[in-house]
Amino acid sequence: MTSSHHSADATTTDPLKSLKRKRASTEPKASIEPGHDASSARNPSHNSPQSSGSFDTGQATTQPKKLRGRPPKLVAEPTVVESDIEWPFWFKELEKTHRALNLVYTFCSTRKHLATTFETIRSTVESHTNRSLTVDDVVAIVALRPGGIHFAYVDELMLQLDARGADKDDTFKAGRYTGKSSQSFAPDASVGGMTGLEGLGDADPYRTREDEQESESGREVLYFEFIDEDLKRQVQDKKTGDPTKPTRRLRHEDVKLPVYSQKQMTALIEKRNIKFANAVNIFLNRCAAESLDPELALRSESESFIPRPSAPRDSTPQPKSSTLPASIPKERKSIPEIVQELKDSPWYTGQIVPDGHRVFDEQEPVHGYLNFLLSQDLVNALYNTKGITQFYAHQADAINALHDGHHVVVSTSTSSGKSLIYQLPVIHALEQDWNTRAMYIFPTKALAQDQKRSLKEVMKFMPGLEEMLVETFDGDTPMHDRNIIRDDGRIIFTNPDMLHITILPQEERWRTFLQNLKYVVVDELHYYNGLMGSHVALIMRRLRRICAAVGNTHVQFISCSATVANPKEHFTTIFGVEDVKLIDFDGSPSGRKEFLCWNTPYKDPGDPSSGRGNAKFECSRLFCELILRGVRVIAFCRVREHCEKLVNAIKQELEHRGRSECINRVMGYRGGYTAQDRRQIETEMFEGKLMGIVATTALELGVDIGTLDCVMTWGFPYTIANLRQQSGRAGRRNRDSLSILVGDSFATDQYYMQNPDELFTKPNCELQVDLENMLVKEGHIQCAAYEMPILPAKDSKYFGEDLATICEERLLKGDRGFYHCHDRFRPKPSQFVSIRDTEEDHFAVIDITNNRNVVLEELEASRATFTIYDGAIFLHQGNTYLVRDFNPDKKMARVEKVQVDWTTEQRDYTDIDPIETEAIRRITGSKSLAYHGAIKITQVVFGYFKVDKKNRILDAIQVDNPPVIRYSKGTWLDVPRLALEILVSRRLHVGGAIHAAQHAIMSLMPNFVMSMPGDVRTECKNHLKEFARRETQRKRPARLTFYDAKGGAGGSGINTKAFEFIDVLLRKALGRVLACQCRDGCIECVCSELCKEANSVISKAGAEVILKSLLNEEIDVESLPMGPEEASPAGVQTVVLAKPVPPRNRKTVRIIGLAGEEIEIQAKDEQDDDEEEYGS
């Protein structure tokens, strides 16, 4: 090892020497004595001269007066348990050892570069106890408090940090932009030798071959840590220099190593000592009740906690549970048995919430019959490939309806055999007419590949059809294959994007295909909702129009959807057709399903003051417990970052359990992976090679990856519909199955953990599509005019009765009354109409480990700035890669695989600012105004944190990344001066009030404007900035701002419509806030399930003030609570009075009054430069 790293056997100066030398003056005096007042009267062990040890080495220095009162109210006091018998001598010795370990570990935890290995802390602990510290004693202590202490072998490389940087207070590296390929300080020595450019350990010229082999295999050291609770970060008071109460970090402050007060350290030490004394008393009481010798019983029980090195050493890991099989069984037990085993596990502490365990009984199949005959070849093919001898009732009804010429929409549960409904009629039609064409449209490439494989498997058994061209036509299709597929293909699998960009604009090349097109299958119809649904609906009208023009008016549309409230109406809106047959009775069998609401436990179970644990580690433990019992699991994560972190945690958990042979049976699956990698993962999961997969919503749709026994969802997935869709992925082969929602610490998650019934009783939402969104509508009309000139009298049935007006105003009129695409949309109008906001620019992430030079994945440009920067840790399949070189000009980043136990988190901020007013509307009955116009979104990454597995900040690095700027359209309302004055007078958090009011309004928008949650966004307030106690230069205007998340600079049109309903939105939002019975705010009023800052800055009372002031309603100031509110501690105020945003035309601006009249006013050319702050 190089000298720059701390390790267990380092020969350098004892890192705890200062603790030995200054223990009597620089640390809490009562650190080894806390808890005596709670148990000394009952246990003679507390009266032992050496048991009182303070910072003086074991001398009797009891301080009854100082400890007699109530301890500092920094942490909650544990409940005291009394002992029925006197403590044996060995237990008294263990208590002294525990007190010393507690003190030394707490000291080390304030200096995060000190790794608390057994060898590192041994001598210091021995100096406090005046006896040798043995592994057996520590193991006995762990056996008494297994949930509060971790004592095990870990890979030494995992403990390495840059000690030289950690020893400094100014931990910012002097990062400056020094070139196009470097945006930070020199590469980090903590992950690769002294220069940071060498491989791990390469800097040591004296390394032997044995050393290299030992490094490769992973040298392990014995590591000790308390895992029940952490110290809360404190900062020095500028005036007194003393540590102040825990505060959150200001976004722009110079991050320094945290400081901790003696009171806080003493309180935590006391708390742990009392918990240990309680654990001893409970153990002794049990031994007395069972007539056991306490010492013999404890030595016996502690054997299972003896730490042992992991493979390849010749020893076995510590058993986690007696019910865990030694190898993954080929046949798992039943779900009820597995759930019971989980409950019986020693780590289970009641994670399943009350009323959070639901059982859904199995359902027997209901069969139906076709009203026409199938060929024997088709009957044989269905039997040989799928084992089908009978059709379920919904399958038979749908196939009969299609045979009779109807359009069909099927809305049944996941895995109910819906794919057969659109496979069989197509094959039957091809038997009748070899020239028949069919088009399968899927929202994702993965789903299209999956269904193509399934269909081709059936056609292999069809004489005469086995060689028929059935192929995918999407963005990955090579150019030289596209002509063959277009001319000779009978069935193509594509997506709405290709239909919009390639097929429809080239209708003359596709004419033969479109003339013979009989079936159009649009699967996962529920996916096309909100803005995406508007685009797809108009694309389908363009398709119907072209087919009719080439003589094909008999195209039949088939759609399958998850269970929604209005499938038939939604189908009719998307395709614009009548004669639709709805099939919503599910005749398929379903296995028994259990659903668990599983809440992440507190760090110290039963002690809420210790704080809730890390949901990632709870998921990884649960995931491993399940797959090691033979349960095939898919875990869903909300974002890509969580996906990678969970894969990493699962692999570490398997390694820790000594089950490294299972690591390769767990994979991640998310956007960004190469197409080849995704296909390989899908295939391996389908073939049963993988036991578990961790995915984003990319696998939420119906890709068949084989039998799944369990779905685990990390955190509430934004909507109940998403949760039900994910849950349906389990039990796809009619076996019993399990679905688990793991609650995170966020407010939304905890709301559903406390109210699990709502997960099962809330009705399915209605799907909404707005065909009158003019921005979307005009774009597709321009595309249609490019494909084929428009004649309003004939084409209004596709595009609406106002088509003539739109054509007259926005298109170019020809000689014979036909309208053509406007020049501003040429040469290719489909490229000006983005249906998903897909990005053209991608960054290549290249693995240069051992000169591999392989592209790991491609990252969208918008994600690159926030994910790859010099010094960042990039996660791929749970493996950690160090970004060695980030070159934004070449759109590439070079990464090297490293072995570290920390990750990086970017420090960034996003400003949402109106820059140009285009319309103003007076709010009914009020002097306040609502504005609409151009919005500027500025995202800046200015640094990053090194974060350990407990989310503790180890270091802070500064980078000089250029800002990412984009534009949209939006609506905003300036908060009146009166509201700000009231908020300040009542000491309510202004930022929290604005944030809460924005959520209340935004959550109601889908009720008035056809949109999906997330189509409209706002600027969410970050607690790191809002609750800071240091002044900030980044003051934000007192303004409620909403912007279109999609549509680019022109917006999506949703905010334009919301602007028309602003009066109603404000009144409904206020009514919702007033009607909700909660105290501090919940998802029923001012919290949002989509808040990227987890609703951490919220003031319900403040939202009421702002909404009432905007509506000019009376505000009862005396009835408002007096702050600071518990959830919004006082900090430096970050809000200033909003300035008017200049209009587009500085001479006049239009105001829409009560009756819609126009009022001319003069815009202000000069604005007051003085900013008025509110609050202190």
Side-chain angles (χ1 to χ4, degrees), residues 335 339 356-358 360 592-598 622 626 631 634 636 709-713 723-731 736-742 760:
I335 292 298
V339 171
H357 186 179
R358 300 295 177 94
F360 301 91
R592 184 179 185 275
K593 172 167 283 190
E594 297 196 26
F595 192 102
L596 303 179
C597 291
W598 187 285
L622 196 53
L626 290 168
V631 179
I634 180 170
F636 284 108
D709 301 311
C710 175
V711 168
M712 180 191 302
T713 302
L723 178 64
R724 291 171 180 167
Q725 179 75 5
Q726 292 175 5
S727 177
R729 293 308 309 268
D736 62 343
S737 60
L738 178 64
S739 186
I740 306 174
L741 172 62
V742 179
F760 311 103

Side-chain angles (χ1 to χ4, degrees), residues 115-254:
T116 51
T117 64
F118 183 74
E119 294 299 326
T120 300
I121 65 176
R122 185 179 201 168
S123 61
T124 309
V125 171
E126 289 174 348
S127 73
H128 284 281
T129 60
N130 290 330
R131 59 190 293 266
S132 297
L133 179 66
T134 66
V135 171
D136 289 343
D137 284 350
V138 179
V139 166
I141 291 170
V142 174
L144 288 167
R145 284 205 63 210
I149 302 174
H150 178 235
F151 187 51
Y153 280 95
V154 298
D155 193 322
E156 186 180 37
L157 292 175
M158 293 297 187
L159 301 178
Q160 294 179 14
L161 297 174
D162 187 357
R164 294 169 300 170
D167 282 336
K168 292 184 280 185
D169 272 346
D170 53 337
T171 56
F172 266 125
K173 305 298 185 290
R176 288 293 179 267
Y177 189 73
T178 56
K180 293 183 179 179
S181 63
S182 176
Q183 293 183 331
S184 69
F185 193 61
D188 190 348
S190 67
V191 290
M194 290 294 292
T195 66
L197 296 173
E198 303 151 345
L200 286 171
D202 290 349
D204 188 352
Y206 302 105
R207 284 171 62 87
T208 64
R209 182 175 181 84
E210 289 74 13
D211 291 335
E212 292 178 1
Q213 290 175 347
E214 184 178 42
S215 175
E216 290 173 2
S217 63
R219 182 178 182 272
E220 294 189 327
V221 293
L222 201 49
Y223 186 65
F224 175 90
E225 64 177 336
F226 282 93
I227 58 175
D228 53 354
E229 194 169 346
D230 292 323
L231 289 167
K232 306 294 189 300
R233 177 185 180 273
Q234 296 180 298
V235 295
Q236 285 186 332
D237 187 279
K238 281 189 173 181
K239 296 180 180 179
T240 66
D242 295 330
T244 65
K245 64 181 181 179
T247 60
R248 289 177 170 83
R249 189 173 296 103
L250 179 62
R251 178 172 280 146
H252 285 292
E253 89 174 57
D254 293 335

Side-chain angles (χ1 to χ4, degrees), residues 100 186 237 267 281 323-324 337 363 425 477 500 562 576 637 686 722-723 845 875 998 1031:
D237 187 279
N281 290 337
T323 59
L324 202 60
E337 291 178 290
Q363 177 181 310
T477 305
H500 165 61
C637 304
F686 184 83
N722 289 347
L723 178 64
V845 181
L875 292 173
Q998 288 176 148
E1031 191 58 65

Side-chain angles (χ1 to χ4, degrees), residues 251-538:
R251 178 172 280 146
H252 285 292
E253 89 174 57
D254 293 335
V255 177
K256 298 186 178 183
L257 289 178
V259 294
Y260 305 96
S261 67
Q262 291 188 8
K263 286 185 178 180
Q264 187 191 177
M265 294 171 66
T266 301
L268 183 57
I269 291 170
E270 280 189 22
K271 189 175 180 181
R272 286 181 179 146
N273 286 340
I274 294 175
K275 287 179 179 178
F276 181 78
N278 287 343
V280 172
N281 290 337
I282 292 171
F283 182 82
L284 293 178
N285 292 342
R286 177 162 63 88
C287 290
E290 299 177 7
S291 301
L292 299 175
D293 180 274
E295 184 171 345
L296 292 178
L298 181 57
R299 291 189 185 279
S300 175
E301 291 186 15
S302 63
E303 287 181 3
S304 63
F305 293 93
I306 295 174
R308 296 180 175 89
S310 59
R313 317 254 176 146
D314 297 328
S315 58
T316 57
Q318 166 188 327
K320 286 287 180 181
S321 170
S322 59
T323 59
L324 202 60
S327 61
I328 296 177
K330 293 183 178 179
E331 288 295 326
R332 64 167 174 83
K333 296 180 181 179
S334 69
I335 292 298
E337 291 178 290
I338 290 172
V339 171
Q340 189 57 48
E341 287 185 2
L342 294 177
K343 289 182 177 181
D344 293 339
S345 300
W347 50 267
Y348 180 79
T349 56
Q351 283 93 324
I352 301 175
V353 303
D355 202 31
H357 186 179
R358 300 295 177 94
V359 177
F360 301 91
D361 294 329
E362 61 180 331
Q363 177 181 310
E364 295 297 324
V366 179
H367 294 103
Y369 303 92
L370 301 185
N371 56 20
F372 64 98
L373 292 177
L374 299 178
S375 69
Q376 190 59 47
D377 289 337
L378 184 50
V379 170
N380 293 342
L382 292 175
Y383 177 75
N384 289 327
T385 57
K386 301 177 183 294
I388 293 175
T389 58
Q390 285 182 291
F391 296 110
Y392 301 132
H394 65 283
Q395 293 174 331
D397 290 347
I399 295 170
N400 286 334
L402 286 167
H403 187 261
D404 294 339
H406 303 288
H407 305 285
V408 168
V409 56
V410 182
S411 180
T412 56
S413 61
T414 309
S415 69
S416 57
K418 292 192 288 285
S419 59
L420 182 69
I421 293 170
Y422 51 71
Q423 288 180 354
L424 188 146
V426 171
I427 297 174
H428 182 68
L430 283 169
E431 283 186 300
Q432 311 298 319
D433 182 0
W434 203 77
N435 286 319
T436 296
R437 304 294 202 275
M439 182 186 297
Y440 286 58
I441 298 172
F442 295 93
T444 65
K445 296 174 183 177
L447 200 53
Q449 293 281 358
D450 179 54
Q451 291 297 331
K452 184 188 76 171
R453 180 177 62 237
S454 174
L455 180 62
K456 291 181 78 169
E457 188 178 337
V458 177
M459 294 183 67
K460 285 180 182 178
F461 288 84
M462 295 293 298
L465 302 183
E466 61 267 33
E467 299 300 327
M468 188 169 285
L469 186 58
V470 177
E471 200 49 77
T472 303
F473 189 85
D474 59 24
D476 293 335
T477 305
M479 296 302 294
H480 56 81
D481 291 339
R482 295 190 179 191
N483 292 341
I484 299 174
I485 296 171
R486 182 189 65 225
D487 297 336
D488 299 334
R490 292 301 183 266
I491 304 172
I492 67 167
F493 290 80
T494 188
N495 50 54
D497 311 78
M498 292 300 290
L499 188 59
H500 165 61
I501 295 172
T502 303
I503 298 175
L504 295 180
Q506 301 176 7
E507 63 85 17
E508 72 283 354
R509 298 184 182 180
W510 286 84
R511 190 160 295 176
T512 301
F513 188 95
L514 297 175
Q515 284 173 335
N516 293 282
L517 183 61
K518 182 173 177 61
Y519 290 114
V520 174
V521 176
V522 179
D523 199 9
E524 308 289 352
L525 187 66
H526 59 276
Y527 181 86
Y528 305 110
N529 189 21
L531 188 63
M532 181 68 176
S534 301
H535 281 294
V536 172
L538 289 161

Side-chain angles (χ1 to χ4, degrees), residues 1126-1143:
E1126 183 179 346
S1128 300
V1132 174
Q1133 195 53 261
T1134 61
V1135 175
V1136 297
L1137 188 67
K1139 297 179 180 179
V1141 178

Side-chain angles (χ1 to χ4, degrees), residues 29-34 36 45-56 58-63 96 99:
K29 293 289 184 65
S31 54
I32 298 209
E33 185 146 63
H36 278 215
S45 65
H46 296 294
N47 299 322
S48 169
Q50 291 187 350
S51 70
S52 64
S54 67
F55 280 89
D56 297 322
Q59 296 178 7
T61 56
T62 57
Q63 298 172 320
K96 287 189 289 185
R99 289 174 177 275

